[in-house]
Amino acid sequence: MGDEVHTLPYGSWPSPIDAALAAAHDGRPEYVGFVGDEVWWTEPRPAEGGRRALVRRRADGVEEQVLPGPWNVRSRVWEYGGRPWAGGTVDGRLLVVFVHFADQRLYRYEPGGGAPRPLTPVSAVGGGLRWADPVLCAERGEVWCVLEEFTGDGPGEVRRVPAAVPLDGSAADDRDAVRELGDGGHRFVTGPRLAPDGRRVAWLGWDHPRMPWEGTEVVVAEIGDDGRLRGARTVAGGPQESIAQVEWSSDNRLLYASDRTGWWNLYRDGEPLCPREEEFGGPLWKVGERWFAPLENGLIAVVHGRGATVLGILDPESGELVDAAGPWTEFCPTLAAHGERVVAVGASPRTGHEVIELDTRTGRARVIGAAHRDAVDPAYYPEPQIRTFTGPEGRDIHARVYPPHHPVCTAPAQELPPYVIWAHGGPTSRAPLVLDLAIAYFTSRGIGVAEVDYGGSSGYGRAYRERLREQWGVVDVEDCAAVALALADEGTADRARLAIRGGS
């Protein structure tokens, strides 16, 4: 088509965005971290059966894959997975441990030092042995992480405990060489977080039938000289309080994100740091997600917001919060800090997810990895509208509306466009304000899309999230239908051509 405007019915506009193109750009970088001074992360390879590659950005700025296929850095803990790798510098050499998806064993790898070597055994029982959320404890010769162990073939025959795996490979064929750190007192646990002075460790625990966004507990234990834990006790949280993440500050104070006020806010040793009616945490679907990261100078990098999220730096002494400047409208719950550098993953309505580094000294943020490249002319990208609709009983319903959009096509004057209402999975997920070629697939053809953050979605406080409690298939359906009918009533959408789609 030339630059002249063509009048064609909605739904019939020609588009360069097909299903294959949308699928090829599905997924995003995850689990950022530092290995020495280098930034590493995992990245999807859609053309390789969904393999997750481990990627590094070398000191000279070159971005490269660490391990070739079929190495697949991905954990199956909880089945939703979690942080599958950790790295650091040991005796001047880079050392990385990671989970390989095919056998779920934990491996040790030193770049330039040969092939990865297994650290954990294979179990023939049930779903086997699985590992996630590792932390290198090189001074102890161990990696501390979550162990998920199946004790039989039944769905309930599984246990999860914090565990220590020897780095020397002595547990590669010996389950007994794995040192359990916890007592199995909780059905679910996150990976251990060690205080900088090495004297205490913390993790989160909770039990069925609670989900982690309903009620979790912070467990703290003392670390003896022999590496064994003593005096494990619950210091925060409970059945009606969700704590999404726990860490230690550089001066050995306990940091966590709790929704005890109805919003996930940050606390230090139980005292609120920046009380706001917005979220500094989220639903813990994958073990090892991070909404905040303490810096060595006492500041805290935070992903926060009400609905859409931004990256900010919080001064816990003054409560001052300064957000990073840039085009990004959404940041994922993955953060890492090293010195005065913070690394995150962000996206916008014009860009996919990218690895972003923030220099907290200068305040400058820039893309350093997985840089967005336009697969098609950006003129075909949709333009989102942030909307709030009124649902049954006058309740608010948050949504993102993407009208039909095409650089050279328009519809006949009296025609209204068809609309597809998207219900996200979850139920506690949320529609991010980012470029999604699956949405552009519809809008560039003349079909509008409305992504609905129905009652139950995260990002708007605990009360909004709990609207769906014991109301699955009721509130979510009502809210999606209310948005569809509101779009028709206001003359935005064709009432005779409305559809709802979704999945979980």
Side-chain angles (χ1 to χ4, degrees):
M1 286 186 134
D3 291 336
E4 68 275 12
V5 175
H6 298 261
T7 301
L8 295 169
Y10 285 117
S12 68
W13 299 347
S15 172
I17 303 170
D18 58 18
L21 184 68
H25 289 79
D26 193 22
R28 66 192 185 204
E30 288 186 294
Y31 305 120
V32 295
F34 285 93
V35 182
D37 290 328
E38 294 185 0
V39 178
W40 291 40
W41 63 90
T42 62
E43 196 172 280
R45 295 284 186 263
E48 300 177 41
R51 182 175 78 91
R52 299 297 203 281
L54 189 58
V55 177
R56 67 191 285 191
R57 184 183 190 271
R58 300 189 330 212
D60 59 7
V62 174
E63 194 175 312
E64 67 180 18
Q65 179 175 268
V66 177
L67 295 165
W71 291 107
N72 187 357
V73 182
R74 184 180 178 189
S75 170
R76 286 185 60 187
V77 165
W78 306 352
E79 296 299 354
Y80 289 100
R83 186 174 181 88
W85 76 276
T89 304
V90 180
D91 298 328
R93 296 175 59 88
L94 300 183
L95 171 64
V96 176
V97 295
F98 69 91
V99 176
H100 178 45
F101 186 72
D103 58 15
Q104 288 298 291
R105 297 174 87 180
L106 199 62
Y107 285 80
R108 169 183 179 143
Y109 177 65
E110 297 169 61
R117 292 181 290 148
L119 295 178
T120 57
V122 174
S123 170
V125 179
L129 299 174
R130 299 174 180 179
W131 315 85
D133 206 8
V135 177
L136 271 181
C137 302
E139 68 283 356
R140 299 183 182 278
E142 296 176 323
V143 53
W144 289 22
C145 52
V146 173
L147 162 61
E148 182 176 72
E149 181 173 27
F150 288 80
T151 57
D153 293 320
E157 296 178 83
V158 61
R159 56 194 296 272
R160 301 173 184 90
V161 293
V165 176
L167 281 169
D168 62 7
S170 58
D173 297 305
D174 182 6
R175 165 66 182 85
D176 292 337
V178 174
R179 192 164 65 89
E180 295 191 11
L181 299 169
D183 59 3
H186 286 97
R187 182 71 177 271
F188 295 92
V189 294
T190 62
R193 296 288 180 265
L194 282 81
D197 63 8
R199 296 179 179 178
R200 288 181 295 168
V201 62
W203 65 87
L204 300 181
W206 66 98
D207 295 293
H208 185 79
R210 294 197 306 275
M211 300 297 265
W213 52 86
E214 294 175 326
T216 54
E217 298 174 357
V218 177
V219 180
V220 172
E222 311 296 324
I223 304 175
D225 293 337
D226 58 359
R228 300 191 178 279
L229 306 191
R230 297 178 176 85
R233 62 199 184 280
T234 297
V235 299
Q240 303 299 321
E241 178 182 353
S242 169
I243 295 179
Q245 182 188 340
V246 62
E247 305 285 345
W248 298 92
S249 66
S250 58
D251 59 353
N252 302 292
R253 299 167 79 176
L254 192 67
L255 300 170
Y256 55 84
S258 165
D259 75 345
R260 63 182 59 156
T261 65
W263 297 86
W264 275 301
N265 278 193
L266 282 183
Y267 294 80
R268 183 176 62 186
D269 288 341
E271 296 298 320
L273 294 180
C274 184
R276 294 188 180 191
E277 288 193 348
E278 58 180 77
E279 307 286 30
F280 290 77
L284 190 64
W285 281 96
K286 297 180 180 180
V287 60
E289 291 184 314
R290 297 184 82 185
W291 290 267
F292 67 91
L295 279 70
E296 295 172 5
N297 59 12
L299 300 177
I300 306 172
V302 294
V303 169
H304 70 102
R306 187 167 182 158
T309 53
V310 295
L311 172 65
I313 299 296
L314 172 66
D315 182 342
E317 304 307 325
S318 66
E320 181 184 17
L321 179 56
V322 179
D323 293 331
W328 309 287
T329 53
E330 196 76 42
F331 281 87
C332 301
T334 179
L335 285 175
H338 177 61
E340 295 176 317
R341 301 160 63 197
V342 173
V343 176
V345 173
S348 80
R350 310 297 291 178
T351 57
H353 291 87
E354 305 172 298
V355 179
I356 297 156
E357 182 177 272
L358 171 64
D359 184 331
T360 60
R361 181 176 48 84
T362 64
R364 180 176 176 233
R366 63 189 179 115
V367 176
I368 63 163
H372 172 79
R373 292 177 178 83
D374 290 316
V376 298
D377 186 337
Y380 289 92
Y381 294 164
E383 299 287 348
Q385 301 171 355
I386 302 173
R387 298 283 305 273
T388 302
F389 296 89
T390 300
E393 301 173 0
R395 62 178 182 250
D396 287 345
I397 307 169
H398 302 287
R400 312 268 193 262
V401 176
Y402 296 85
H405 181 80
H406 196 287
V408 296
C409 283
T410 187
Q414 302 306 313
E415 186 182 1
L416 292 176
Y419 260 78
V420 181
I421 311 301
W422 282 26
H424 61 68
T428 60
S429 186
R430 180 174 54 80
L433 188 61
V434 301
L435 175 63
D436 185 343
L437 291 185
I439 292 176
Y441 173 92
F442 286 94
T443 57
S444 61
R445 285 171 166 76
I447 301 170
V449 173
E451 286 193 295
V452 181
D453 282 344
Y454 51 79
S457 301
S458 59
Y460 308 98
R462 183 165 183 133
Y464 195 92
R465 199 168 69 243
E466 290 192 336
R467 287 181 187 174
L468 203 57
R469 195 167 193 156
E470 299 183 1
Q471 294 292 308
W472 284 29
V474 179
V475 167
D476 43 0
V477 172
E478 287 179 349
D479 286 358
C480 288
V483 170
L485 294 174
L487 290 172
D489 288 344
E490 69 184 25
T492 298
D494 184 346
R495 185 181 299 271
R497 292 188 291 172
L498 295 172
I500 297 178
R501 59 165 284 183
S504 185

